[in-house]
Amino acid sequence: MKLLWLPPLLALLAACAAAPGPASVSGVIDSGEVLPRRILENSASSQFVPGEVIVKFKSGLSVQSVGALEAGGVHLAAVRPLAVEGATLYRAGGLSAAQTLELVRSLSARSDVEYAVTNDLAFISAEPTDPQYALQWHYRALNLPAAWDISTGTDGTVVAVVDTGILWDGDDSPRTHPDFRGKVLPGYTFISDARAAGNAVGRGLGAYDFGDATSGQPSYHGSHVAGTIAAATNNGQGGAGVNWRARILPVRVLGIGGGRVSDIVDGIAWAAGIAVPGVPNNPNPAQVINMSFSGSGACSPLYEDILSRVAARGVIAVAAAGNENSDTARFSPSSCSNIITVGATNLRGERAPYSNWGSRIDVMAPGGTTSTAFSVGAQMVQAGVLSPLRDTRRNAFNYVMYQGTSMAAPHVAGVVSLMKGLNPALTLETTRAILKASANPLTAAQCGRPDAADCGAGLLDAAEALGNPAATGPVAPPHQGISCATYIAAMFVQGDGYDFDKSMEIIVDSQREFTDFTIPNLTPGTYTILAFTDFNGNEQLDPDEPFGISEKDVTLRAGQNLGNVSVVLLPFTLEDSGGQSSRR
């Protein structure tokens, strides 16, 4: 049969408004195990061998007596006993990852089983191959190699860098740094003063970094920050980024002489997808915003206002604490409440001597100190943070060590973006709690303060943060708490096809294994009952989405209310369509 949802959805919905008919059909949609398939597959925190499970039986049970198992209709054959007493490896052929997880759940519920687990796979740590990665000590200080074993990023994650812009002018432009090719989305310049912007117009599309952050001297500050977050990784040059797959959204708010709060607030709003008067809407709203800048004075109501709106949209803002070796409460936006505030540590994991401190610090991250050095082979290297830059004198792209809380914040923004990729629903408060819970506290001596609390929760551990169960959200048990739209249609049989004008469709919210349905107001005649569950929300049937058709057509007489119709859903494959134009 052909795909039966090819007619426009509106055509079927229009049919629902037709004159009432004298018949109806009721029944149940049997989702079996396919409703939670997508969620179960995504819930696995590690990779495993489909169809293989390890079962440890409770003491006193003879393992020889369970050489084969039966669970949920699946036959499991014993492969071999393991070194752990009472534990045996079992195998069943042809199971998917989701079916294997269901099998583990079923076995774990048995009274004679102490535990059942998947046969997980282990891999060499996912460390980058970039030639200068060895110089990026700051990633190992965050335990990022272990975090990358959990996730190197998720396509579609966007991190806004509200800063001086970026060395990117289109992927094919000679003004684009090689480590930003394919990584950057078109940005916007919010600097109102054309002189400060270093161009003829001030505000406008594009966010190219002219290297003019504060004094007119080359700095390329925003590029350095962006490189830490998401520089191209494993591309044979330069160093790595925290998130290998995220895209950077450059928002230029700082130019010659710094930036004005009026421009910065507009830039923050636009980055989060909030409309800004006189500016085109942002087509790529960010999930995370990095703000590596600081001004004097406590957080103003203006900052609090826009940052509360950003947080309400589920966007997480990360800010640098500042470099004055002073109380963060005296600076903004780092003292604001609706952000994650980051202080800086050095090579030894101590608070860097320039880093601000105080009760408003949430966590610490490497900011480096270029006055100290460490050895890489026979080479002594500055212990700053390495990231992409440009050598103005030689007119060449390069990689430079900078220091500052400006360099610490993008480490945290990058980790938060990895977390957002795993669980897009993460809020600011949940993320803050996860970061704090996963941090390694500094002592008062390491913090360089009478009270260690002046360094917040301590130095962030990226692997602990990504491994926190709250980072991926609670795993829904089978057939509970899972909500997907299921489309159910009564297709009026007309010859070898269907009469769509007499057909009727309803949409139900499927949350259980069995979903009751009733399609009212049907014209008397013969119907085929079809259904599919829309996993991705695109309102059409796609491969691997649950699809089913009634075993037999049903014939309705005038005034009849026919019940007990069952439709069993199974994963749809393109082969199901058969390339035929007829209905059967």
Side-chain angles (χ1 to χ4, degrees):
M1 56 171 287
K2 64 178 182 178
L3 288 177
L4 297 172
W5 264 268
L6 290 178
L9 179 64
L10 290 178
L12 284 178
L13 292 177
C16 293
S24 66
V25 61
S26 301
V28 64
I29 302 299
D30 181 357
S31 297
E33 67 168 27
V34 294
L35 178 60
R37 172 187 297 271
R38 187 69 50 86
I39 293 158
L40 282 173
E41 289 177 344
N42 290 342
S43 72
S45 61
S46 60
Q47 298 182 50
F48 54 84
V49 182
E52 292 192 359
V53 296
I54 298 168
V55 181
K56 182 178 180 181
F57 295 95
K58 292 182 177 178
S59 59
L61 183 68
S62 170
V63 177
Q64 286 73 23
S65 66
V66 283
L69 287 175
E70 189 83 21
V74 176
H75 177 77
L76 290 148
V79 178
R80 68 173 187 276
L82 302 185
V84 176
E85 185 177 355
T88 302
L89 173 64
Y90 290 88
R91 181 179 297 142
L95 295 188
S96 67
Q99 290 170 323
T100 305
L101 288 170
E102 285 276 26
L103 185 60
V104 167
R105 291 176 184 273
S106 177
L107 288 167
S108 298
R110 286 176 49 146
S111 60
D112 58 344
V113 170
E114 184 172 329
Y115 59 78
V117 295
T118 52
N119 194 9
D120 291 353
L121 299 170
F123 303 90
I124 297 173
S125 292
E127 292 200 61
T129 59
D130 302 79
Q132 296 196 53
Y133 170 68
L135 308 182
Q136 294 179 303
W137 60 271
H138 37 98
Y139 291 161
R140 291 179 288 279
L142 278 183
N143 199 17
L144 264 172
W148 287 327
D149 286 342
I150 300 172
S151 175
T152 56
T154 304
D155 291 337
T157 303
V158 177
V159 183
V161 177
V162 180
D163 213 292
T164 67
I166 195 170
L167 286 163
W168 181 86
D169 199 35
D171 285 346
D172 298 324
S173 170
R175 299 203 306 173
T176 294
H177 195 291
D179 254 358
F180 292 137
R181 298 188 192 280
K183 298 291 296 181
V184 183
L185 296 164
Y188 202 90
T189 292
F190 280 88
I191 303 172
S192 301
D193 184 346
R195 183 197 61 81
N199 58 29
V201 296
R203 286 193 173 192
L205 292 171
Y208 190 74
D209 190 340
F210 295 101
D212 52 11
T214 54
S215 63
Q217 299 300 314
S219 71
Y220 302 106
H221 186 272
S223 299
H224 199 281
V225 168
T228 296
I229 295 170
T233 304
N234 288 336
N235 64 338
Q237 56 189 321
V242 173
N243 191 320
W244 300 7
R245 297 166 68 181
R247 302 288 295 277
I248 292 293
L249 178 69
V251 182
R252 189 166 178 251
V253 298
L254 306 176
I256 298 171
R260 302 176 182 181
V261 171
S262 55
D263 292 335
I264 292 170
V265 166
D266 280 354
I268 294 170
W270 187 82
I274 299 171
V276 177
V279 176
N281 289 336
N282 176 10
N284 302 292
Q287 288 84 51
V288 182
I289 298 174
N290 187 90
M291 301 183 295
S292 286
F293 54 84
S294 181
S296 60
C299 186
S300 70
L302 181 64
Y303 266 138
E304 288 285 17
D305 192 355
I306 191 59
L307 290 170
S308 67
R309 293 180 63 193
V310 167
R313 296 175 72 93
V315 181
I316 301 173
V318 178
N323 302 329
E324 291 77 19
N325 185 24
S326 184
D327 191 339
T328 308
R330 298 171 51 198
F331 301 90
S332 58
S334 55
S335 60
C336 297
S337 57
N338 287 297
I339 57 170
I340 294 169
T341 301
V342 184
T345 55
N346 60 18
L347 180 68
R348 295 185 295 274
E350 305 162 339
R351 180 177 68 88
Y354 53 78
S355 176
N356 285 350
W357 40 264
S359 60
R360 189 56 201 85
I361 299 289
D362 290 310
V363 292
M364 308 290 284
T369 48
T370 55
S371 60
T372 59
F374 68 105
S375 61
V376 178
Q379 180 184 10
M380 293 300 295
V381 182
Q382 286 182 324
V385 171
L386 181 78
S387 200
L389 221 67
R390 182 171 179 265
D391 186 331
T392 306
R393 291 171 299 176
R394 298 179 182 176
N395 193 28
F397 296 115
N398 61 354
Y399 302 85
V400 176
M401 296 283 193
Y402 272 4
Q403 69 174 32
T405 57
S406 285
M407 285 60 255
H411 284 88
V412 175
V415 172
V416 170
S417 73
L418 292 174
M419 295 165 62
K420 269 287 199 179
L422 293 174
N423 182 8
L426 280 174
T427 64
L428 170 67
E429 290 308 318
T430 300
T431 303
R432 193 203 309 272
I434 293 170
L435 296 178
K436 286 187 168 186
S438 62
N440 296 307
L442 272 62
T443 65
Q446 290 172 319
C447 187
R449 297 286 304 159
D451 187 349
D454 278 344
C455 287
L459 180 58
L460 176 62
D461 187 315
E464 287 293 319
L466 264 66
N468 189 310
T472 52
V475 178
H479 320 309
Q480 295 180 24
I482 301 164
S483 180
C484 297
T486 293
Y487 292 74
I488 309 169
M491 307 299 296
F492 190 91
V493 176
Q494 186 75 47
D496 290 332
Y498 297 106
D499 184 335
F500 291 105
D501 290 333
K502 294 182 179 178
S503 298
M504 192 77 71
E505 181 185 58
I506 63 170
I507 303 173
V508 299
D509 189 29
S510 299
Q511 296 181 323
R512 301 176 305 277
E513 181 174 357
F514 299 101
T515 302
D516 296 326
F517 74 91
T518 297
I519 305 178
N521 304 329
L522 295 174
T523 301
T526 300
Y527 289 85
T528 302
I529 310 301
L530 307 170
F532 86 97
T533 298
D534 189 15
F535 274 151
N536 59 18
N538 67 353
E539 300 182 349
Q540 64 184 18
L541 177 61
D542 298 305
D544 202 39
E545 288 185 328
F547 168 77
I549 184 169
S550 54
E551 184 177 354
K552 295 180 180 180
D553 291 341
V554 296
T555 300
L556 302 178
R557 299 186 303 272
Q560 182 182 21
N561 296 310
L562 183 64
N564 300 321
V565 175
S566 177
V567 179
V568 178
L569 302 187
L570 296 172
F572 174 77
T573 62
L574 291 176
E575 288 74 16
D576 292 335
S577 65
Q580 302 297 316
S581 59
S582 64
R583 68 180 183 89
R584 288 289 187 197

